[in-house]
Amino acid sequence: MSQLLVLRLAERMSWIITDSAGAPIGPVSTGSLADLAPLAALHPVIAIVPATSVTLAQPELPVSGGSRLAQVVPYALEETLAGDVEQFHFAIGATDDSGRTLVAAVRRDELRAWLDALAAVGIAPRALVPQTLCLPDNPGKTVAVVEGGQLLVRWPGAIPVVLDAEPLTEAFSLA
């Protein structure tokens, strides 16, 4: 059974080793990327990136896949992004049974900063995952987490979102 090193990129870096199913092996550790580097040399790294940095969407796409899909996606999300689509990197996920394709958009400069910081200490992550996708999709139940002034919410079968948690009652109403 392979183990993974799950790293949370945040103001205060934290990480944990998990088994291949995601069950923790040992405690959560905190420190700098330099502190993590020796451990990262022994395990594949999955980096969790800040929820506010990644826009998730499931746009209606006129094509079903391939290189044409990569050309269409930026313009399908153009109205939902703050900035020119040329400033963003788009990651195209799997298409579900209803034909919806998950797309993640992140500013290229922010993505480059994460990858450069990791590369500076010899870490090449296997994947970058938005924090919101770490919320479980719980059939029939809404999952919500309040952390650091943010409210992360995932409804059953829906894309998770992040909102400002202040004031909390209004954030829940908006969610």
Side-chain angles (χ1 to χ4, degrees), residues 60-66 68-70 72 101:
E60 283 192 37
L61 301 171
V63 293
S64 61
R68 179 96 171 103
L69 183 61
V72 170
T101 302

Side-chain angles (χ1 to χ4, degrees), residues 24-118:
I25 300 173
V28 174
S29 300
T30 59
S32 69
L33 286 177
D35 297 334
L36 172 68
L39 196 55
L42 303 174
H43 304 282
V45 175
I46 304 295
I48 300 171
V49 299
T52 55
S53 297
V54 182
T55 299
L56 297 175
Q58 287 181 313
E60 283 192 37
L61 301 171
V63 293
S64 61
S67 63
R68 179 96 171 103
L69 183 61
Q71 294 171 347
V72 170
V73 163
Y75 301 100
L77 293 181
E78 190 170 28
E79 298 296 317
T80 62
L81 299 174
D84 183 19
V85 294
E86 301 301 323
Q87 297 174 343
F88 288 85
H89 172 79
F90 298 89
I92 301 169
T95 301
D96 65 16
D97 294 337
S98 67
R100 299 179 307 171
T101 302
L102 182 63
V103 177
V106 63
R107 288 190 178 280
R108 290 181 190 279
D109 57 346
E110 197 161 4
L111 174 62
R112 178 56 36 213
W114 295 330
L115 293 174
D116 288 349
L118 291 167

